[in-house]
Amino acid sequence: MAEAGKKPRQFRAEVRKVLHILTNSLYTNREIFLRELVSNASDALDKLRFRINRGESPKLPDLPLEIRITLDKDAKTLTIADTGLGMTADELAENLGTIAKSGSEQFLADIAAENAAKAKSGNGRGDDSAEGEEVVADAANIIGRFGVGFYSVFMVANKVAVTSRPAFGDDDAAHTWTSDGLGTYTVTTSDGAEPARGTVIKAWLKDDAVEFLEKFRVESAIRKHSAFVPFPVFVDNEQANTQPALWREPKFSITREQYAAFYKALTYDSADPLDELHFSVDAPVQFNALLFIPDSAQDFFGSDRDFWGLDLYARRVLIQHRNKELIPEYLAFLKGVVDTEDLPLNISRETLQENVVLRKISQVVVKQTLNHLEKLARDDAEKYNAFWRLHGKIFKLGYHDFANRERVTALLRFNSSTLADAEALSSLDGYMERAPEGQKTFWYVAAPNREAARLNPHMERFRQKGIEVLYLFEPIDEFVMDGLGRYKEWEFKSVEAASDDALKDFADKEEPAREAVAPLSDEDSTSFEALLARMKEILGDKVTDVRVSHRLADSPAVLVSPDGGMSSSMEKLLKVMQKDDSLPVKVLEVNRDHPLLRNMLRMFKADRDDKTLAEMTQGLFDASLLLDGYLKDPQALAARTNKLLEEAAAWYTEVRKI
């Protein structure tokens, strides 16, 4: 056996292709080889433990189940040894000389197709490439997903020796598999005493991979990818994986302090989490999850836009950091891990099979998270409100989730006109309970803050009727309202879109701020119509019309959309998105019972071309623009205001004989 084994053997064709890709690609994440080798060692130890638990007796039963990594800078070697199941000579040749039916053939086909496309488009190496030197795509981000496994060691090594002694059977000899990764390998009988049981992989590192001879570099890679393998991993006799896989432990046995410590180690956050979710699922997919709600807000729409997702593990081994397929965007505030038994390491993320698995996991995670938030909102309103203030801006994106829209909507929170202050929050169900009989509309107004919302002229008749209005302070809020459309048969509508008779069925609850004025005579009504025409003439194409308002009680004027369409804040947001800085052309509605308009009527009747009347008309328009947040020329407004104040002061001193 030993003599015959010295004859070099050829790798199977698909293995040569894999090795070619590994050794010729530009890898940005070569530390993956450590994850693969440690995972293989852990699997060997797991298999040994299984057979021991089944009652079988291995060689050297007292030998500890462990993985040891040894670094030798002088020899430029990295050695990984385990005390696991081990392999015979035939198993070495079978396992390391071929590639299993693991999806890797599809991987090679995908790479070949991509390379062919690149070559065709002129991005390849041209027709002069040597045979076998195909244009190789960068596989750095997919190497760990296709089961390349052991062969990844050739990313960093120019020679590898695998010595293994089986833990069971009559064969007590150790055998060594050796290859330089260029197409051939040998299997020989080992003369040494090591390993006593299990497998030792010795890699002679390339000159550009000597970073992996540094202890801190290897330890960081172990902690990143293999921190939770169920066996101790020693690097130069010091254990590198000391954090337990807490998600695998029963919930009742874990303290809040342990959860907090795990969260801090996982996220590098200095504060404890606000809350945690810990659950295990057997169907439709088997997985464990430990998720956290941070006690700090994320800038999801800014610098943190790409830094979200859950860490995906397969049997305690990190497969992907921040996997975005496990949760929808509106749960992007969640931090944590998902560990599944049903996700093969060798599966391509591009295949339908894995997408189905991840989609099923995502559905369960969403369901469990919504269950948790509903319970929190029901049992601990104060904590839920704290969650909302931190993460509500992200959670609102759930209006896109059609399958869970009703549940997401019930969890939304808003400030409103009837609440005590800007910090108070209400659910939509709470709004419905407070609404007067007959109301079937959620009324809302968008504003930068509570005071601006309260002073919005469109709010006046709602205040007079005692109709609660939701305050929307975030730009996304109106998109949410439009996206939701309805909730429990109630529709969402902006106060700006309220028709003249929208509140006619509701009695007044508040006395007008001003005393009622005498109605205009028929003659004055005719003159007022003429005044409106004169104001339209003065403003020109800045407005589509000037008309009497039925929505104002205290304010003199307001701008409204001609067709009662989108609100001013939504219109302004869309203009910003489109980089359109033009002023909107709207209808100017005026309150003909307001003292200012009555005095303007008197001025008009005395002299329709009065210059002060023209200045007042322009000032009224500018003030309405200012309330809508559209004023582009504050200097002109200031100059006009100063001039009117100067004239008013002159009249006042003359009347008072000062």
Side-chain angles (χ1 to χ4, degrees):
M1 177 68 183
E3 292 301 316
K6 289 181 180 179
K7 182 180 178 181
R9 309 181 190 184
Q10 290 287 329
F11 283 114
R12 292 197 181 180
E14 66 269 23
V15 178
R16 289 199 298 273
K17 291 178 184 177
V18 170
L19 293 176
H20 177 72
I21 289 172
L22 292 175
T23 54
N24 289 278
S25 294
L26 177 62
Y27 289 97
T28 59
N29 193 21
R30 295 199 295 179
E31 66 184 27
I32 285 294
F33 88 93
L34 282 168
R35 183 194 74 179
E36 295 299 319
L37 297 187
V38 170
S39 296
N40 288 344
S42 178
D43 287 344
L45 290 164
D46 257 331
K47 292 172 185 175
L48 176 66
R49 184 164 60 183
F50 173 77
R51 293 180 64 170
I52 291 174
N53 292 339
R54 203 168 58 178
E56 298 184 51
S57 181
K59 298 164 186 173
L60 303 174
D62 295 330
L63 206 60
L65 303 182
E66 62 185 19
I67 302 167
R68 289 189 174 271
I69 300 176
T70 307
L71 309 174
D72 187 335
K73 291 185 179 180
D74 294 333
K76 297 207 310 194
T77 60
L78 181 150
T79 304
I80 298 182
D82 68 72
T83 54
L85 193 63
M87 292 176 282
T88 64
D90 290 339
E91 288 170 339
L92 281 169
E94 178 64 21
N95 293 339
L96 304 184
T98 186
I99 229 173
K101 298 294 183 182
S102 62
S104 294
E105 286 286 359
Q106 183 60 48
F107 160 66
L108 297 171
D110 291 343
I111 292 293
E114 183 177 344
N115 290 335
K118 286 184 177 181
K120 187 175 181 180
S121 65
N123 294 329
R125 296 181 183 176
D127 297 330
D128 296 331
S129 299
E131 183 178 351
E133 291 186 351
E134 303 97 320
V135 182
V136 181
D138 182 359
N141 293 322
I142 55 177
I143 184 71
R145 299 175 187 154
F146 290 86
V148 177
F150 166 77
Y151 305 104
S152 61
V153 71
F154 287 105
M155 290 191 289
V156 297
N158 49 34
K159 178 184 176 183
V160 177
V162 181
T163 304
S164 192
R165 193 185 303 272
F168 298 97
D170 298 330
D171 188 356
D172 289 331
H175 295 85
T176 300
W177 177 99
T178 307
S179 177
D180 57 9
L182 298 179
T184 63
Y185 67 92
T186 61
V187 178
T188 61
T189 302
S190 174
D191 297 329
E194 297 295 330
R197 185 189 73 207
T199 301
V200 176
I201 300 174
K202 189 172 187 177
W204 283 262
L205 299 187
K206 299 175 181 178
D207 290 340
D208 63 353
V210 292
E211 64 181 290
F212 295 106
L213 295 174
E214 299 293 338
K215 184 180 178 182
F216 79 90
R217 181 69 177 88
V218 174
E219 285 179 331
S220 67
I222 297 300
R223 292 189 181 113
K224 178 179 178 182
H225 298 285
S226 308
F228 304 107
V229 295
F231 305 98
V233 180
F234 296 93
V235 180
D236 282 348
N237 296 317
E238 187 172 340
Q239 188 170 348
N241 60 332
T242 56
Q243 180 74 44
L246 215 58
W247 63 85
R248 294 262 184 164
E249 304 297 325
K251 285 192 292 186
F252 63 83
S253 67
I254 305 174
T255 66
R256 292 302 302 272
E257 290 73 22
Q258 288 175 301
Y259 278 131
F262 183 90
Y263 167 77
K264 292 174 182 177
L266 182 74
T267 64
Y268 303 104
D269 195 343
S270 59
D272 290 353
L274 179 68
D275 208 356
E276 69 276 336
L277 296 79
H278 187 180
F279 54 92
S280 299
V281 177
D282 293 323
V285 182
Q286 184 180 6
F287 70 94
N288 297 286
L290 178 53
L291 313 178
F292 297 93
I293 300 175
D295 197 13
S296 57
Q298 293 173 257
D299 185 15
F300 181 73
F301 300 97
S303 59
D304 295 334
R305 186 67 183 87
D306 296 322
F307 296 96
W308 64 277
L310 302 180
D311 289 349
L312 175 63
Y313 284 75
R315 294 177 289 279
R316 301 176 190 252
V317 176
L318 180 66
I319 302 304
Q320 188 177 8
H321 187 43
R322 297 196 189 106
N323 183 292
K324 293 180 174 59
E325 295 179 57
L326 293 172
I327 50 174
E329 272 193 338
Y330 71 93
L331 298 183
F333 56 85
L334 289 175
K335 307 293 183 185
V337 302
V338 167
D339 187 358
T340 178
E341 301 288 337
D342 295 339
L343 185 69
L345 286 176
N346 60 0
I347 201 161
S348 163
R349 193 164 62 133
E350 301 302 318
T351 66
L352 178 63
Q353 181 183 357
E354 184 180 10
N355 284 339
V356 169
V357 171
L358 292 183
R359 189 159 58 247
K360 288 180 178 178
I361 292 176
S362 177
Q363 289 169 352
V364 176
V365 169
V366 170
K367 180 181 177 182
Q368 292 284 345
T369 303
L370 293 179
N371 286 345
H372 184 84
L373 292 175
E374 286 166 347
K375 185 176 185 301
L376 194 63
R378 184 174 60 251
D379 300 340
D380 192 344
E382 184 177 345
K383 187 181 231 184
Y384 184 80
N385 287 348
F387 152 77
W388 184 262
R389 293 186 187 99
L390 291 170
H391 308 298
K393 190 185 297 187
I394 302 174
F395 187 77
K396 290 171 189 174
L397 294 173
Y399 78 91
H400 281 309
D401 187 351
F402 184 80
N404 296 292
R405 181 175 291 179
E406 189 89 355
R407 300 181 69 186
V408 169
T409 307
L411 288 166
L412 299 179
R413 295 293 182 268
F414 301 93
N415 190 236
S416 83
S417 58
T418 64
L419 299 181
D421 53 47
E423 294 300 311
L425 294 170
S426 172
S427 65
L428 293 176
D429 289 298
Y431 178 101
M432 294 167 70
E433 291 172 5
R434 294 187 295 271
E437 186 177 353
Q439 182 178 343
K440 291 293 182 182
T441 302
F442 296 106
W443 295 104
Y444 65 84
V445 61
N449 53 60
R450 184 177 172 86
E451 185 63 13
R454 189 183 68 80
L455 295 175
N456 189 305
H458 295 279
M459 286 288 295
E460 292 175 6
R461 59 174 168 163
F462 286 87
R463 193 158 47 242
Q464 187 174 337
K465 296 287 186 178
I467 302 297
E468 183 175 5
V469 177
L470 300 172
Y471 289 164
L472 310 186
F473 298 140
E474 301 292 342
I476 190 178
D477 288 344
E478 286 195 89
F479 289 104
V480 173
M481 296 307 197
D482 285 349
L484 291 176
R486 287 181 175 273
Y487 173 62
K488 294 184 177 179
E489 302 308 315
W490 284 44
E491 64 177 336
F492 295 90
K493 190 175 288 187
S494 168
V495 295
E496 294 184 34
S499 60
D500 290 345
D501 60 352
L503 306 182
K504 65 181 177 59
D505 295 331
F506 302 100
D508 288 353
K509 296 292 181 67
E510 186 176 294
E511 292 295 326
R514 300 179 184 275
E515 292 185 10
V517 296
L520 293 175
S521 64
D522 291 343
E523 181 184 348
D524 282 346
S525 293
T526 302
S527 296
F528 198 87
E529 291 299 322
L531 170 63
L532 297 182
R534 174 58 181 150
M535 293 173 70
K536 173 67 175 75
E537 183 182 330
I538 292 168
L539 294 174
D541 58 6
K542 294 179 181 178
V543 296
T544 60
D545 194 13
V546 180
R547 68 191 182 200
V548 173
S549 177
H550 299 283
R551 71 185 75 231
L552 297 175
D554 302 323
S555 299
V558 67
L559 286 169
V560 298
S561 297
D563 56 358
M566 70 177 68
S567 67
S568 57
S569 57
M570 177 70 85
E571 187 177 45
K572 184 166 57 179
L573 182 60
L574 292 177
K575 280 183 172 290
V576 170
M577 293 169 63
Q578 296 165 4
K579 298 181 179 179
D580 179 3
D581 62 353
S582 64
L583 291 176
V585 181
K586 296 187 176 186
V587 175
L588 179 66
E589 287 192 356
V590 299
N591 180 0
R592 71 176 185 175
D593 292 335
H594 194 280
L596 175 58
L597 271 298
R598 289 296 178 95
N599 288 325
M600 289 176 70
L601 175 61
R602 293 170 62 187
M603 295 167 66
F604 172 76
K605 289 171 66 178
D607 180 4
R608 74 179 307 275
D609 295 320
D610 189 302
K611 292 183 178 180
T612 301
L613 176 64
E615 291 289 340
M616 285 183 170
T617 299
Q618 185 62 52
L620 204 58
F621 173 72
D622 286 347
S624 299
L625 273 181
L626 184 61
L627 285 172
D628 272 3
Y630 274 114
L631 189 65
K632 291 179 63 177
D633 193 359
Q635 292 81 7
L637 174 63
R640 189 176 299 110
T641 302
N642 289 336
K643 183 178 180 181
L644 289 172
L645 287 173
E646 179 185 343
E647 292 178 356
W651 296 333
Y652 182 79
T653 56
E654 183 177 342
V655 170
R656 293 289 302 273
K657 306 297 182 183
I658 300 175

